Amino acid sequence: MSRSIYSGPVFEMARQQFVRVADHLQIHEMDRDRLLYPKRAIAVSCPIHRDDGRTEVFQGYRVQHHLTLGPTKGGTRFAPSVDIGEVAALAIWMSWKCALAGLPYGGAKGGITVDPYKLSPRELEALSRRYMQEMIPFVGPHTDVMAPDMGTNEQVMAWFMDTYSMYQGQTVNEIVTGKPISAGGTLGRREATGRGVAYLVGRALEHLGIPAGDATAIIQGFGNVGSIAAYSLAERGVKIIGVSDHTAAYYDPAALDVAELKGHITRCGQLAGFSSQSLIEPSELLVQKCDILVPAAIERVITGENATHLKCRILAEGANGPTTPEADSILHERGDEIFVLPDILCNAGGVIVSYFEWVQDLQRLFWEEAEVFDRLYRILERSFQQTITRARRERIPHRMAAMAIGVNVVQSAKRTRGLFP
Ligand code: GLU
């Protein structure tokens, strides 16, 4: 492809990763653009009334990567960094993630360029509803199913569902996932990504012969993914020695008190103010010695600069795209030193349970929590086994193995179906 609307560092990252995998799989040049470039991209202007009486317009996007396996699926992000390139990269990653987990979806992602923490609750509701309203012609339970991502939550999903339903004249629970239970959500969705991260870390520890009770963890990002990953790892006996969010970073090699952390987050909603003693520079946190490092915040935090200095045994990618291709090459050169749980495997718990939510909504039949987690762990176990087996067999990094499995699934579906999807 000579020119496209997709650009920027995050899109470039998704493209480079794909090229590496396509080279490894010897995918013909002719087939590459069709696998990489999104099928559809939608850009919308979302005007809302601000509380001070002004009208302001926010830019919103939705990228649907491919339609080959079923509807598209993926989160909606409210963040100042959002642009079409970032959203496209995240949609592409969703495709490989869903394919690796065996879900009948293509990838999608959406977002609004906004700092949601600078909006009042009324403004946030107005913007969420307006965004969904603009998207109504392009989404549907069998077309494209949204979910939460950075800066959005269950309440935003409830507003999305309600706005779509008002338009249809009936309740359509299955239009979005990650909803509150009272709006047709599933048990376990809120905890799914974090608990999935902890499950896979547990498997990696077993693989390396490290008892969970002897292990230490540092978690970057304390939103829905990072916080639940921290609590679940602590329940497994892992010592949490470092945490950070956009307000503060804390590190104590002797262990942080997780019960106190939980209490503080419940009271204040952010890490700032947790303790005055264990404060650390956020960029320093990533390179402290630990067994498990969990980047669970934003993209491109493990880079060509700091990858040489990581002192962890397991890198568990709770975030999407935390590791740049330069960092990947360095980690690969470091050989077996660091066991990478790549994002499309490590954080797949969220979309897997979103799939369960969609299935339950379509069937109007709801499962018990034990069933949700039992099925989740079975899928994660299969993906974990497939990834490490393929990596070993082909002598390739875990990320390349996981992506190769995902890309192969999409590629063979495209081959059997033809050019349309
Ligand atoms: N936003 C999440 C992700 O990046 C969840 C997507 C979903 O549940 O559809 O995987």
Side-chain angles (χ1 to χ4, degrees):
M1 173 116 16
S2 50
R3 272 184 89 176
S4 81
I5 57 168
Y6 308 106
S7 61
V10 186
F11 184 77
E12 196 42 37
M13 218 182 116
R15 199 188 62 78
Q16 278 181 33
Q17 289 174 341
F18 173 75
V19 170
R20 283 186 189 182
V21 174
D23 287 346
H24 174 72
L25 296 174
Q26 299 182 329
I27 296 176
H28 198 286
E29 283 296 336
M30 200 171 63
D31 295 327
R32 293 190 184 196
D33 283 354
R34 212 155 71 83
L35 278 164
L36 178 68
Y37 284 91
K39 187 74 187 174
R40 295 184 186 138
I42 299 126
V44 293
S45 293
C46 304
I48 61 159
H49 294 297
R50 299 297 302 256
D51 290 344
D52 62 9
R54 283 180 302 131
T55 301
E56 193 168 341
V57 179
F58 293 91
Q59 289 306 306
Y61 307 96
R62 184 83 184 159
V63 171
Q64 299 167 349
H65 180 227
H66 74 81
L67 315 178
T68 317
L69 292 166
T72 48
K73 184 85 194 78
T76 309
R77 170 173 291 202
F78 290 179
S81 66
V82 165
D83 61 27
I84 191 78
E86 183 189 56
V87 172
L90 289 158
I92 293 167
W93 289 329
M94 283 308 299
S95 284
W96 315 144
K97 191 188 305 189
C98 291
L100 172 66
L103 310 182
Y105 294 135
K109 200 70 144 207
I112 303 181
T113 317
V114 62
D115 182 347
Y117 304 103
K118 292 198 176 132
L119 298 179
S120 70
R122 191 205 61 80
E123 292 169 334
L124 184 64
E125 175 170 355
L127 186 58
S128 303
R129 288 186 180 277
R130 186 63 196 232
Y131 174 80
M132 175 47 102
Q133 201 179 355
E134 297 294 343
M135 290 296 165
I136 285 174
F138 311 105
V139 298
H142 298 285
T143 312
D144 183 12
V145 181
M146 294 184 189
D149 196 78
M150 230 163 72
T152 58
N153 56 22
E154 291 181 1
Q155 178 60 71
V156 173
M157 296 309 114
W159 289 325
F160 282 174
M161 186 277 269
D162 186 64
T163 304
Y164 187 86
S165 297
M166 277 166 32
Y167 180 82
Q168 299 295 329
Q170 57 183 299
T171 297
V172 188
N173 296 117
E174 55 274 25
I175 182 61
V176 294
T177 60
K179 301 179 295 294
I181 307 283
S182 58
T186 180
L187 294 167
R189 175 62 184 84
R190 191 188 304 162
E191 301 81 14
T193 316
R195 283 179 65 173
V197 169
Y199 176 84
L200 291 164
V201 166
R203 296 294 290 111
L205 285 169
E206 279 169 21
H207 189 82
L208 297 171
I210 305 171
D214 292 349
T216 56
I218 291 177
I219 291 115
Q220 181 200 42
F222 222 69
N224 184 47
V225 179
S227 63
I228 306 284
Y231 306 150
S232 310
L233 285 170
E235 273 167 26
R236 288 167 184 263
V238 173
K239 240 194 277 172
I240 308 301
I241 59 169
V243 293
S244 73
D245 69 1
H246 63 288
T247 64
Y250 296 101
Y251 170 70
D252 182 347
L256 296 165
D257 187 324
V258 173
E260 270 180 28
L261 257 177
K262 215 173 181 168
H264 176 82
I265 286 290
T266 314
R267 276 191 312 277
C268 310
Q270 57 185 33
L271 285 174
F274 170 61
S275 137
S276 54
Q277 275 150 30
S278 39
L279 273 167
I280 185 173
E281 232 352 86
S283 58
E284 282 297 301
L285 186 66
L286 292 178
V287 293
Q288 299 305 311
K289 188 169 165 29
C290 61
D291 296 298
I292 306 147
L293 179 63
V294 186
I298 51 170
E299 300 98 52
R300 299 166 62 237
V301 294
I302 314 281
T303 63
E305 269 90 72
N306 63 11
T308 350
H309 307 296
L310 297 190
K311 296 183 202 69
C312 58
R313 286 290 289 117
I314 297 168
L315 177 63
E317 298 183 341
N320 290 311
T323 307
T324 66
E326 297 78 51
D328 262 336
S329 304
I330 295 170
L331 295 180
H332 188 50
E333 278 160 26
R334 290 181 63 179
D336 288 338
E337 273 182 69
I338 297 180
F339 187 102
V340 178
L341 287 166
D343 52 3
I344 60 167
L345 167 67
C346 190
N347 69 33
V351 71
I352 294 169
V353 175
S354 273
Y355 165 61
F356 298 159
E357 182 174 332
W358 180 71
V359 167
Q360 292 171 75
D361 284 341
L362 285 170
Q363 299 186 341
R364 308 282 187 263
L365 177 68
F366 289 87
W367 309 347
E368 288 179 8
E369 190 178 293
E371 178 163 8
V372 171
F373 284 104
D374 178 52
R375 284 177 181 265
L376 168 65
Y377 295 148
R378 273 192 277 151
I379 294 182
L380 289 177
E381 181 62 33
R382 185 185 63 205
S383 306
F384 176 80
Q385 292 295 350
Q386 285 177 343
T387 302
I388 57 172
T389 307
R390 183 144 181 177
R392 200 183 305 129
R393 198 175 59 222
E394 297 174 19
R395 296 174 199 280
I396 52 175
H398 288 167
R399 182 181 327 283
M400 192 181 287
M403 280 185 63
I405 297 166
V407 170
N408 274 158
V409 168
V410 180
Q411 188 190 19
S412 72
K414 283 197 184 286
R415 199 177 291 136
T416 46
R417 284 195 58 178
L419 272 189
F420 171 72

